[in-house]
Amino acid sequence: METLLIDCVQSSLRHFMLRNAIFLCERLCADFPSELNSQLLAICYLHNNQAYCAYHILKGTQMAQSRYLFAISCVQMDLLTEAEAALCPTEPNAEVPNGAAGHYLLGLIYRYTDRRKSAVDHFKRALSMDPLLWAAYEELCVLGAAEEANGVFSEAAALCIWQQLLNPGSNTPNLQITNEDHVVVLNKTLGSEEMSPRQLKSMQGNIFRDTPGNHVAVFSGGPSSQPSSGGSSNISLYGTPSPMPAQLYGVAPPPLCRNVQPNLNILGGESSPKSKINTTLQGSRRKLLDEGKLRKKFCLSSAYFGLSQVSGRLFSDSEPRRSTRLAGEAANTNSNSLQVGTNGSGHSSTRYFGGLSSSSKLISAAIRSGTFCKGQPSASESFDEGRRSESFDDSRLDNTATTSSSASLFADDGSLERERTGQQMGGVLAHGSRVSSGILELLDLLRTLGEGYRLSCMYRCQDALDIYMKLSHKQYNTGWVLSQVGKAYFEMVDYLEADQAFTLARQASPYSFEGMDIYSTVLFHLKEEMKLSYLAQELISTDRLAPQSWCAMGNCYSLQKDHETALKNFQRAVQLNSKFAYAHTLCGHEHVALEDFENGIKSYQSALRINPRHYNSWYGLGMIYLRQEKFEFAEHHFRRAFQINPCSSVIMCYLGTALHALKKSEEALNMMDKAIIADKKNPLPMYQKANILVSLEKFDEALKVLEALKEYAPQESSVYALMGKIYKQWNIYEKAMLHFGLALDLKPSATDVATIKLAIEKLHVPDEMVDNL
Amino acid sequence: MATESSEGEEEGKAIGGNQHLVVDDDLREMAKKAAWSVSSCKTGNGVQFLRDDNLDTYWQSDGAQPHLVNIQFQKKVKLQLVVLYVDFKLDESYTPSKISIRAGDGFHNLKEIKTVELVKPIGWVYVSLSGADPREAFLNTFMLQIAVLSNHLNGRDTHVRQIKVYGPRPNPIPHQPFQFTSREFITYSCVR
């Protein structure tokens, strides 16, 4: 009954019949209380958004997967300390449950608790384990710690994914295919003997560079558990070998290929075609990766790094360690992970058998070839001259002196039917090449996107836009990419282009909320009331519980100068998601508009607590201090904003104003010049420069600047007003009068009207009796 | 633009009331943080009904004339416009007919700025505080006092349903001599 119930529950989950799943699962747990069943129940609850139930069920459990699920429920309930305690390994050697996903979650927890370094560390580890974990890369970018996308989504990553694909997974049917894949790939590379060895190597290296001990471990696990029998019994063990070693061998120079082929087969046969890289694999992957790292000393050249590792793995005596780890891990990871099969200690065999039956032929051949390969270290050595395989072979040699049963296994087998392996390889390789090219394509795509995202997080917006242009049309015209493009234009203060990009984004995915808050701000800047209110209404009707909709609504009210209602809307957005930094910033802006500086400061600081790179909040704080005439604070905050976003001419302009207020006029003028250069379309730095010059009494230069400014913005009354002021200073009354008149014509605000009229009246009064304007 | 009462004269002419409250965009309500007090009131019709944005509730005085509404600010503010809502149809003899507006630093030095006479007003009554001189566009003051000197039909007590006080918006960009008018300047003037 237990298995029946489990199947029912899982099928209900697959079909999203959550109530059914929960009910059946509860019956299951009642009759067969076990941790695995509790995990299943927790999964049902989590799917049903009932994190608190999952929390209570999993509290205190120790299995890795339980701890992971418990951590997820804690994070959803905002109990970050408990989540952290659950995820962090208690013993020094224990691993984070679920590998990359666990590291990612831990990274998030550290990020929310302000521990940036640890967060960055964990995200990086998550990425190294699972290079396709885009979310981790995104977080790194937001934290300002992302490396070049080239580095992350590199060929090394391709290797990693390759391995993962070949890793034993739960899907037996795939097993055969992946084996074939590998073989095919290898065959292709092997077949072209014209290819220079280097080419071969690099190609293979490309694909297989980062073979962590995964495969090897798997492989070794197999052999070790099945001493020297070769043949069907071995087959079962080899269900999840990593094709890596074999493939790596294949990479070796042509002469070496033959030797490798057998290995390839072995590995090919053993790898369970796990087409999806998911958390189930991550545990073992991680372990293997760690072991791989240990092998680094063997690596003499990057191309062969993986090779050496693999070879080391293949023949090393690390089995005991690996197997213990694997054993420990196996207990923790999901039962469906075939990695268990890699458990060198042979526990895996039972699990393996289930998945391996389909690939028996291949595996047997593979095993044979593997043994052959292993048994010929010297032969391979001989091929090493002038090749980079030296390192590889050396390590192989080193490792061959292993006491592992795999060695004996191989040695025993000795006889290798190359023809047989050759045939089998042919079929497998064809498929494998498709998979590998798929991986490369995906990595290429992620690389482009990652680089674009990283650059836009660093506010190098033009570069980011150039990179996004490289995407294919299909990818470019998606909501996410178009929103990113819109954001980049927004940061460059090019609101019209941003508007266009966002409009396209809305057309592409009208239900998406990514970046809609920025879009509403763009419309706010463009003073498009109609569009903004339409956007806000649409967003709210789509999802009342998304903070972006309330941000848009708030922007709508703010545009109409109804700051109190706007504030209420932004506060609602904050309530919906207190980790949404922009909502806090907008609250701050409204507080400032209402002249409530204390609360404004609080809001900005909350925003900064969530995201210290949110330069808008730094700017907001600077403005408050500027208003309060605390110029040093203002300068400090503007400078922080400037450091985060060095391309924004607006921030440079304000930084200059603050510097001027601190009497550092030289620096201020420099900053203004920088701002003028940074953005030709921004008239403000010129105006501020003129202001500073006027206060420094350098009226000529100020006038020059203002004359130039007249060309840029002929409708700006303050320009004429300032010019009038200068002429008044020089007592050139006619010109002063002219300019004041022009200023008045352009309908300035009431205060300014009063000021200007006053200035006109006092034009003919001697200076001593006139208050300074 | 807000309908203005007589400009710059001591005795204001009679004005009707406006149905709608329409105020310039560059004015904003100033008295939210001010301290409001009245010379007298009837229980159940206190000073809070002057500020509750509800035209059905009103303040009713309960004492001798003149009835005073005092508005005290924390710092000197620029004021431009006072708007009252009164309704002759509903209040009849309680409707104020003569109103005097005084300003100063405190109770001790209030000076009369404006007097307005109302004739059967129904709706919002705008009283501008500006003088004719451009120099006097705004009234700079710590305190404003609105005195009801007499009512229609010689009523003793008065009903006032709502009072709002307006002043200019501050320059959104601090430390600027003039505010920006053109779109290019405004677009680049702030980061949101």
Side-chain angles (χ1 to χ4, degrees), chain A residues 32-62:
Chain A
F32 307 101
S34 80
E35 195 155 333
L36 288 175
N37 293 338
S38 309
Q39 279 178 19
L40 193 53
L41 183 54
I43 292 179
C44 297
Y45 280 128
L46 281 174
H47 273 282
N48 202 21
N49 286 330
Q50 287 176 295
Y52 41 91
C53 299
Y55 173 82
H56 282 286
I57 293 177
L58 291 177
K59 193 159 189 149
T61 48
Q62 285 310 311

PDB file of all heavy atoms in Angstrom, chain A residues 32-62:
ATOM      1  N   PHE A  32       2.400   4.901   7.429  1.00  0.00           N
ATOM      2  CA  PHE A  32       3.813   4.566   7.284  1.00  0.00           C
ATOM      3  C   PHE A  32       4.659   5.779   7.621  1.00  0.00           C
ATOM      4  O   PHE A  32       5.235   6.411   6.748  1.00  0.00           O
ATOM      5  CB  PHE A  32       4.110   4.131   5.837  1.00  0.00           C
ATOM      6  CG  PHE A  32       3.211   3.036   5.361  1.00  0.00           C
ATOM      7  CD1 PHE A  32       2.144   3.339   4.535  1.00  0.00           C
ATOM      8  CD2 PHE A  32       3.410   1.729   5.751  1.00  0.00           C
ATOM      9  CE1 PHE A  32       1.301   2.335   4.092  1.00  0.00           C
ATOM     10  CE2 PHE A  32       2.580   0.730   5.309  1.00  0.00           C
ATOM     11  CZ  PHE A  32       1.522   1.024   4.480  1.00  0.00           C
ATOM     12  N   PRO A  33       4.723   6.115   8.877  1.00  0.00           N
ATOM     13  CA  PRO A  33       5.474   7.324   9.218  1.00  0.00           C
ATOM     14  C   PRO A  33       6.955   7.116   8.954  1.00  0.00           C
ATOM     15  O   PRO A  33       7.570   6.232   9.520  1.00  0.00           O
ATOM     16  CB  PRO A  33       5.195   7.503  10.713  1.00  0.00           C
ATOM     17  CG  PRO A  33       4.758   6.162  11.198  1.00  0.00           C
ATOM     18  CD  PRO A  33       4.182   5.424  10.050  1.00  0.00           C
ATOM     19  N   SER A  34       7.480   7.913   8.089  1.00  0.00           N
ATOM     20  CA  SER A  34       8.923   7.836   7.827  1.00  0.00           C
ATOM     21  C   SER A  34       9.330   9.194   7.314  1.00  0.00           C
ATOM     22  O   SER A  34       8.508   9.991   6.872  1.00  0.00           O
ATOM     23  CB  SER A  34       9.239   6.772   6.790  1.00  0.00           C
ATOM     24  OG  SER A  34       8.977   7.281   5.501  1.00  0.00           O
ATOM     25  N   GLU A  35      10.612   9.408   7.359  1.00  0.00           N
ATOM     26  CA  GLU A  35      11.044  10.757   6.983  1.00  0.00           C
ATOM     27  C   GLU A  35      10.792  11.032   5.510  1.00  0.00           C
ATOM     28  O   GLU A  35      10.410  12.133   5.137  1.00  0.00           O
ATOM     29  CB  GLU A  35      12.526  10.932   7.319  1.00  0.00           C
ATOM     30  CG  GLU A  35      12.915  12.391   7.304  1.00  0.00           C
ATOM     31  CD  GLU A  35      14.114  12.666   8.167  1.00  0.00           C
ATOM     32  OE1 GLU A  35      14.329  11.912   9.138  1.00  0.00           O
ATOM     33  OE2 GLU A  35      14.836  13.608   7.865  1.00  0.00           O
ATOM     34  N   LEU A  36      10.978  10.019   4.700  1.00  0.00           N
ATOM     35  CA  LEU A  36      10.756  10.244   3.274  1.00  0.00           C
ATOM     36  C   LEU A  36       9.301  10.618   3.009  1.00  0.00           C
ATOM     37  O   LEU A  36       9.005  11.510   2.210  1.00  0.00           O
ATOM     38  CB  LEU A  36      11.108   8.989   2.476  1.00  0.00           C
ATOM     39  CG  LEU A  36      12.612   8.716   2.398  1.00  0.00           C
ATOM     40  CD1 LEU A  36      12.849   7.398   1.705  1.00  0.00           C
ATOM     41  CD2 LEU A  36      13.287   9.835   1.631  1.00  0.00           C
ATOM     42  N   ASN A  37       8.404   9.952   3.722  1.00  0.00           N
ATOM     43  CA  ASN A  37       7.001  10.287   3.508  1.00  0.00           C
ATOM     44  C   ASN A  37       6.694  11.677   4.025  1.00  0.00           C
ATOM     45  O   ASN A  37       5.882  12.400   3.442  1.00  0.00           O
ATOM     46  CB  ASN A  37       6.109   9.240   4.182  1.00  0.00           C
ATOM     47  CG  ASN A  37       6.239   7.902   3.498  1.00  0.00           C
ATOM     48  OD1 ASN A  37       6.634   7.836   2.340  1.00  0.00           O
ATOM     49  ND2 ASN A  37       5.913   6.831   4.208  1.00  0.00           N
ATOM     50  N   SER A  38       7.333  12.043   5.137  1.00  0.00           N
ATOM     51  CA  SER A  38       7.117  13.416   5.611  1.00  0.00           C
ATOM     52  C   SER A  38       7.602  14.413   4.583  1.00  0.00           C
ATOM     53  O   SER A  38       6.987  15.453   4.366  1.00  0.00           O
ATOM     54  CB  SER A  38       7.870  13.663   6.911  1.00  0.00           C
ATOM     55  OG  SER A  38       7.592  12.675   7.838  1.00  0.00           O
ATOM     56  N   GLN A  39       8.729  14.070   3.957  1.00  0.00           N
ATOM     57  CA  GLN A  39       9.222  14.971   2.917  1.00  0.00           C
ATOM     58  C   GLN A  39       8.178  15.144   1.835  1.00  0.00           C
ATOM     59  O   GLN A  39       7.929  16.253   1.350  1.00  0.00           O
ATOM     60  CB  GLN A  39      10.487  14.410   2.274  1.00  0.00           C
ATOM     61  CG  GLN A  39      11.729  14.656   3.064  1.00  0.00           C
ATOM     62  CD  GLN A  39      12.923  14.043   2.411  1.00  0.00           C
ATOM     63  OE1 GLN A  39      12.890  13.737   1.213  1.00  0.00           O
ATOM     64  NE2 GLN A  39      13.974  13.846   3.157  1.00  0.00           N
ATOM     65  N   LEU A  40       7.588  14.033   1.451  1.00  0.00           N
ATOM     66  CA  LEU A  40       6.590  14.108   0.393  1.00  0.00           C
ATOM     67  C   LEU A  40       5.427  14.979   0.810  1.00  0.00           C
ATOM     68  O   LEU A  40       4.944  15.824   0.046  1.00  0.00           O
ATOM     69  CB  LEU A  40       6.101  12.684   0.077  1.00  0.00           C
ATOM     70  CG  LEU A  40       5.294  12.525  -1.198  1.00  0.00           C
ATOM     71  CD1 LEU A  40       6.060  13.105  -2.370  1.00  0.00           C
ATOM     72  CD2 LEU A  40       5.010  11.045  -1.430  1.00  0.00           C
ATOM     73  N   LEU A  41       5.008  14.811   2.052  1.00  0.00           N
ATOM     74  CA  LEU A  41       3.896  15.636   2.542  1.00  0.00           C
ATOM     75  C   LEU A  41       4.277  17.101   2.542  1.00  0.00           C
ATOM     76  O   LEU A  41       3.505  17.976   2.143  1.00  0.00           O
ATOM     77  CB  LEU A  41       3.508  15.175   3.954  1.00  0.00           C
ATOM     78  CG  LEU A  41       2.320  15.890   4.588  1.00  0.00           C
ATOM     79  CD1 LEU A  41       1.112  15.819   3.673  1.00  0.00           C
ATOM     80  CD2 LEU A  41       1.990  15.280   5.932  1.00  0.00           C
ATOM     81  N   ALA A  42       5.515  17.364   2.965  1.00  0.00           N
ATOM     82  CA  ALA A  42       5.961  18.765   2.967  1.00  0.00           C
ATOM     83  C   ALA A  42       5.952  19.326   1.558  1.00  0.00           C
ATOM     84  O   ALA A  42       5.576  20.482   1.324  1.00  0.00           O
ATOM     85  CB  ALA A  42       7.349  18.850   3.587  1.00  0.00           C
ATOM     86  N   ILE A  43       6.376  18.501   0.599  1.00  0.00           N
ATOM     87  CA  ILE A  43       6.376  18.971  -0.790  1.00  0.00           C
ATOM     88  C   ILE A  43       4.964  19.334  -1.218  1.00  0.00           C
ATOM     89  O   ILE A  43       4.734  20.370  -1.859  1.00  0.00           O
ATOM     90  CB  ILE A  43       6.980  17.898  -1.719  1.00  0.00           C
ATOM     91  CG1 ILE A  43       8.473  17.751  -1.435  1.00  0.00           C
ATOM     92  CG2 ILE A  43       6.764  18.268  -3.165  1.00  0.00           C
ATOM     93  CD1 ILE A  43       9.130  16.700  -2.284  1.00  0.00           C
ATOM     94  N   CYS A  44       4.002  18.468  -0.834  1.00  0.00           N
ATOM     95  CA  CYS A  44       2.615  18.783  -1.201  1.00  0.00           C
ATOM     96  C   CYS A  44       2.200  20.127  -0.617  1.00  0.00           C
ATOM     97  O   CYS A  44       1.595  20.961  -1.285  1.00  0.00           O
ATOM     98  CB  CYS A  44       1.664  17.706  -0.667  1.00  0.00           C
ATOM     99  SG  CYS A  44       1.950  16.096  -1.352  1.00  0.00           S
ATOM    100  N   TYR A  45       2.531  20.325   0.659  1.00  0.00           N
ATOM    101  CA  TYR A  45       2.130  21.591   1.283  1.00  0.00           C
ATOM    102  C   TYR A  45       2.794  22.781   0.618  1.00  0.00           C
ATOM    103  O   TYR A  45       2.198  23.834   0.439  1.00  0.00           O
ATOM    104  CB  TYR A  45       2.473  21.573   2.776  1.00  0.00           C
ATOM    105  CG  TYR A  45       1.462  20.821   3.608  1.00  0.00           C
ATOM    106  CD1 TYR A  45       1.852  19.821   4.484  1.00  0.00           C
ATOM    107  CD2 TYR A  45       0.108  21.126   3.517  1.00  0.00           C
ATOM    108  CE1 TYR A  45       0.939  19.144   5.238  1.00  0.00           C
ATOM    109  CE2 TYR A  45      -0.822  20.445   4.276  1.00  0.00           C
ATOM    110  CZ  TYR A  45      -0.400  19.450   5.131  1.00  0.00           C
ATOM    111  OH  TYR A  45      -1.304  18.771   5.881  1.00  0.00           O
ATOM    112  N   LEU A  46       4.077  22.609   0.291  1.00  0.00           N
ATOM    113  CA  LEU A  46       4.776  23.742  -0.326  1.00  0.00           C
ATOM    114  C   LEU A  46       4.157  24.091  -1.673  1.00  0.00           C
ATOM    115  O   LEU A  46       4.042  25.262  -2.020  1.00  0.00           O
ATOM    116  CB  LEU A  46       6.266  23.418  -0.491  1.00  0.00           C
ATOM    117  CG  LEU A  46       7.069  23.567   0.790  1.00  0.00           C
ATOM    118  CD1 LEU A  46       8.491  23.083   0.580  1.00  0.00           C
ATOM    119  CD2 LEU A  46       7.092  25.014   1.236  1.00  0.00           C
ATOM    120  N   HIS A  47       3.765  23.049  -2.410  1.00  0.00           N
ATOM    121  CA  HIS A  47       3.103  23.341  -3.690  1.00  0.00           C
ATOM    122  C   HIS A  47       1.826  24.111  -3.473  1.00  0.00           C
ATOM    123  O   HIS A  47       1.403  24.915  -4.297  1.00  0.00           O
ATOM    124  CB  HIS A  47       2.763  22.026  -4.408  1.00  0.00           C
ATOM    125  CG  HIS A  47       3.882  21.529  -5.249  1.00  0.00           C
ATOM    126  ND1 HIS A  47       4.178  22.038  -6.473  1.00  0.00           N
ATOM    127  CD2 HIS A  47       4.775  20.560  -5.032  1.00  0.00           C
ATOM    128  CE1 HIS A  47       5.216  21.401  -6.985  1.00  0.00           C
ATOM    129  NE2 HIS A  47       5.601  20.501  -6.127  1.00  0.00           N
ATOM    130  N   ASN A  48       1.186  23.826  -2.327  1.00  0.00           N
ATOM    131  CA  ASN A  48      -0.094  24.466  -2.047  1.00  0.00           C
ATOM    132  C   ASN A  48       0.080  25.780  -1.299  1.00  0.00           C
ATOM    133  O   ASN A  48      -0.859  26.297  -0.719  1.00  0.00           O
ATOM    134  CB  ASN A  48      -0.949  23.495  -1.208  1.00  0.00           C
ATOM    135  CG  ASN A  48      -2.429  23.824  -1.318  1.00  0.00           C
ATOM    136  OD1 ASN A  48      -2.844  24.474  -2.268  1.00  0.00           O
ATOM    137  ND2 ASN A  48      -3.198  23.410  -0.339  1.00  0.00           N
ATOM    138  N   ASN A  49       1.313  26.314  -1.301  1.00  0.00           N
ATOM    139  CA  ASN A  49       1.578  27.590  -0.627  1.00  0.00           C
ATOM    140  C   ASN A  49       1.283  27.556   0.858  1.00  0.00           C
ATOM    141  O   ASN A  49       0.887  28.555   1.438  1.00  0.00           O
ATOM    142  CB  ASN A  49       0.733  28.709  -1.248  1.00  0.00           C
ATOM    143  CG  ASN A  49       1.282  29.085  -2.590  1.00  0.00           C
ATOM    144  OD1 ASN A  49       2.480  28.977  -2.813  1.00  0.00           O
ATOM    145  ND2 ASN A  49       0.420  29.485  -3.472  1.00  0.00           N
ATOM    146  N   GLN A  50       1.432  26.391   1.454  1.00  0.00           N
ATOM    147  CA  GLN A  50       1.212  26.335   2.898  1.00  0.00           C
ATOM    148  C   GLN A  50       2.550  26.038   3.569  1.00  0.00           C
ATOM    149  O   GLN A  50       2.783  24.946   4.082  1.00  0.00           O
ATOM    150  CB  GLN A  50       0.198  25.250   3.247  1.00  0.00           C
ATOM    151  CG  GLN A  50      -1.207  25.647   2.852  1.00  0.00           C
ATOM    152  CD  GLN A  50      -2.181  24.520   3.124  1.00  0.00           C
ATOM    153  OE1 GLN A  50      -2.095  23.472   2.516  1.00  0.00           O
ATOM    154  NE2 GLN A  50      -3.078  24.727   4.047  1.00  0.00           N
ATOM    155  N   ALA A  51       3.403  27.035   3.520  1.00  0.00           N
ATOM    156  CA  ALA A  51       4.752  26.799   4.023  1.00  0.00           C
ATOM    157  C   ALA A  51       4.732  26.470   5.509  1.00  0.00           C
ATOM    158  O   ALA A  51       5.554  25.692   5.993  1.00  0.00           O
ATOM    159  CB  ALA A  51       5.609  28.032   3.771  1.00  0.00           C
ATOM    160  N   TYR A  52       3.786  27.054   6.231  1.00  0.00           N
ATOM    161  CA  TYR A  52       3.766  26.828   7.679  1.00  0.00           C
ATOM    162  C   TYR A  52       3.523  25.359   8.008  1.00  0.00           C
ATOM    163  O   TYR A  52       4.072  24.811   8.959  1.00  0.00           O
ATOM    164  CB  TYR A  52       2.725  27.714   8.352  1.00  0.00           C
ATOM    165  CG  TYR A  52       1.437  27.807   7.574  1.00  0.00           C
ATOM    166  CD1 TYR A  52       0.398  26.919   7.805  1.00  0.00           C
ATOM    167  CD2 TYR A  52       1.272  28.776   6.597  1.00  0.00           C
ATOM    168  CE1 TYR A  52      -0.758  26.996   7.073  1.00  0.00           C
ATOM    169  CE2 TYR A  52       0.114  28.854   5.863  1.00  0.00           C
ATOM    170  CZ  TYR A  52      -0.906  27.957   6.102  1.00  0.00           C
ATOM    171  OH  TYR A  52      -2.039  28.030   5.365  1.00  0.00           O
ATOM    172  N   CYS A  53       2.712  24.683   7.199  1.00  0.00           N
ATOM    173  CA  CYS A  53       2.486  23.247   7.442  1.00  0.00           C
ATOM    174  C   CYS A  53       3.775  22.475   7.242  1.00  0.00           C
ATOM    175  O   CYS A  53       4.171  21.648   8.066  1.00  0.00           O
ATOM    176  CB  CYS A  53       1.440  22.711   6.477  1.00  0.00           C
ATOM    177  SG  CYS A  53      -0.146  23.506   6.633  1.00  0.00           S
ATOM    178  N   ALA A  54       4.431  22.785   6.120  1.00  0.00           N
ATOM    179  CA  ALA A  54       5.685  22.094   5.841  1.00  0.00           C
ATOM    180  C   ALA A  54       6.674  22.337   6.973  1.00  0.00           C
ATOM    181  O   ALA A  54       7.405  21.442   7.397  1.00  0.00           O
ATOM    182  CB  ALA A  54       6.252  22.585   4.513  1.00  0.00           C
ATOM    183  N   TYR A  55       6.680  23.564   7.450  1.00  0.00           N
ATOM    184  CA  TYR A  55       7.577  23.924   8.536  1.00  0.00           C
ATOM    185  C   TYR A  55       7.374  23.027   9.732  1.00  0.00           C
ATOM    186  O   TYR A  55       8.309  22.448  10.283  1.00  0.00           O
ATOM    187  CB  TYR A  55       7.328  25.389   8.884  1.00  0.00           C
ATOM    188  CG  TYR A  55       8.045  25.892  10.097  1.00  0.00           C
ATOM    189  CD1 TYR A  55       9.367  26.300  10.028  1.00  0.00           C
ATOM    190  CD2 TYR A  55       7.401  25.982  11.329  1.00  0.00           C
ATOM    191  CE1 TYR A  55      10.026  26.784  11.126  1.00  0.00           C
ATOM    192  CE2 TYR A  55       8.063  26.459  12.436  1.00  0.00           C
ATOM    193  CZ  TYR A  55       9.363  26.861  12.336  1.00  0.00           C
ATOM    194  OH  TYR A  55      10.015  27.339  13.440  1.00  0.00           O
ATOM    195  N   HIS A  56       6.130  22.890  10.117  1.00  0.00           N
ATOM    196  CA  HIS A  56       5.883  22.106  11.318  1.00  0.00           C
ATOM    197  C   HIS A  56       6.184  20.625  11.118  1.00  0.00           C
ATOM    198  O   HIS A  56       6.638  19.946  12.035  1.00  0.00           O
ATOM    199  CB  HIS A  56       4.439  22.301  11.785  1.00  0.00           C
ATOM    200  CG  HIS A  56       4.273  23.599  12.489  1.00  0.00           C
ATOM    201  ND1 HIS A  56       4.742  23.810  13.760  1.00  0.00           N
ATOM    202  CD2 HIS A  56       3.734  24.761  12.094  1.00  0.00           C
ATOM    203  CE1 HIS A  56       4.479  25.060  14.119  1.00  0.00           C
ATOM    204  NE2 HIS A  56       3.870  25.661  13.119  1.00  0.00           N
ATOM    205  N   ILE A  57       5.940  20.152   9.922  1.00  0.00           N
ATOM    206  CA  ILE A  57       6.186  18.733   9.700  1.00  0.00           C
ATOM    207  C   ILE A  57       7.671  18.429   9.740  1.00  0.00           C
ATOM    208  O   ILE A  57       8.109  17.446  10.314  1.00  0.00           O
ATOM    209  CB  ILE A  57       5.658  18.330   8.311  1.00  0.00           C
ATOM    210  CG1 ILE A  57       4.154  18.448   8.303  1.00  0.00           C
ATOM    211  CG2 ILE A  57       6.088  16.935   7.969  1.00  0.00           C
ATOM    212  CD1 ILE A  57       3.587  18.149   6.974  1.00  0.00           C
ATOM    213  N   LEU A  58       8.439  19.324   9.104  1.00  0.00           N
ATOM    214  CA  LEU A  58       9.849  18.996   8.932  1.00  0.00           C
ATOM    215  C   LEU A  58      10.729  19.506  10.039  1.00  0.00           C
ATOM    216  O   LEU A  58      11.940  19.384   9.965  1.00  0.00           O
ATOM    217  CB  LEU A  58      10.338  19.581   7.602  1.00  0.00           C
ATOM    218  CG  LEU A  58       9.753  18.891   6.393  1.00  0.00           C
ATOM    219  CD1 LEU A  58      10.226  19.591   5.146  1.00  0.00           C
ATOM    220  CD2 LEU A  58      10.196  17.449   6.348  1.00  0.00           C
ATOM    221  N   LYS A  59      10.141  20.088  11.045  1.00  0.00           N
ATOM    222  CA  LYS A  59      10.989  20.670  12.071  1.00  0.00           C
ATOM    223  C   LYS A  59      11.799  19.588  12.752  1.00  0.00           C
ATOM    224  O   LYS A  59      11.261  18.608  13.238  1.00  0.00           O
ATOM    225  CB  LYS A  59      10.109  21.380  13.091  1.00  0.00           C
ATOM    226  CG  LYS A  59      10.913  22.254  13.997  1.00  0.00           C
ATOM    227  CD  LYS A  59      10.065  23.312  14.649  1.00  0.00           C
ATOM    228  CE  LYS A  59      11.004  24.260  15.367  1.00  0.00           C
ATOM    229  NZ  LYS A  59      10.558  25.572  15.430  1.00  0.00           N
ATOM    230  N   GLY A  60      13.103  19.782  12.772  1.00  0.00           N
ATOM    231  CA  GLY A  60      13.940  18.848  13.517  1.00  0.00           C
ATOM    232  C   GLY A  60      14.423  17.664  12.711  1.00  0.00           C
ATOM    233  O   GLY A  60      15.183  16.842  13.203  1.00  0.00           O
ATOM    234  N   THR A  61      14.019  17.564  11.459  1.00  0.00           N
ATOM    235  CA  THR A  61      14.471  16.409  10.682  1.00  0.00           C
ATOM    236  C   THR A  61      15.911  16.613  10.251  1.00  0.00           C
ATOM    237  O   THR A  61      16.413  17.723  10.166  1.00  0.00           O
ATOM    238  CB  THR A  61      13.609  16.238   9.434  1.00  0.00           C
ATOM    239  OG1 THR A  61      13.519  17.523   8.797  1.00  0.00           O
ATOM    240  CG2 THR A  61      12.231  15.761   9.798  1.00  0.00           C
ATOM    241  N   GLN A  62      16.547  15.514   9.947  1.00  0.00           N
ATOM    242  CA  GLN A  62      17.974  15.585   9.686  1.00  0.00           C
ATOM    243  C   GLN A  62      18.386  15.232   8.272  1.00  0.00           C
ATOM    244  O   GLN A  62      19.463  15.590   7.860  1.00  0.00           O
ATOM    245  CB  GLN A  62      18.720  14.658  10.657  1.00  0.00           C
ATOM    246  CG  GLN A  62      18.815  15.219  12.055  1.00  0.00           C
ATOM    247  CD  GLN A  62      19.329  16.632  12.070  1.00  0.00           C
ATOM    248  OE1 GLN A  62      20.339  16.942  11.442  1.00  0.00           O
ATOM    249  NE2 GLN A  62      18.630  17.501  12.751  1.00  0.00           N
TER     250      GLN A  62
END
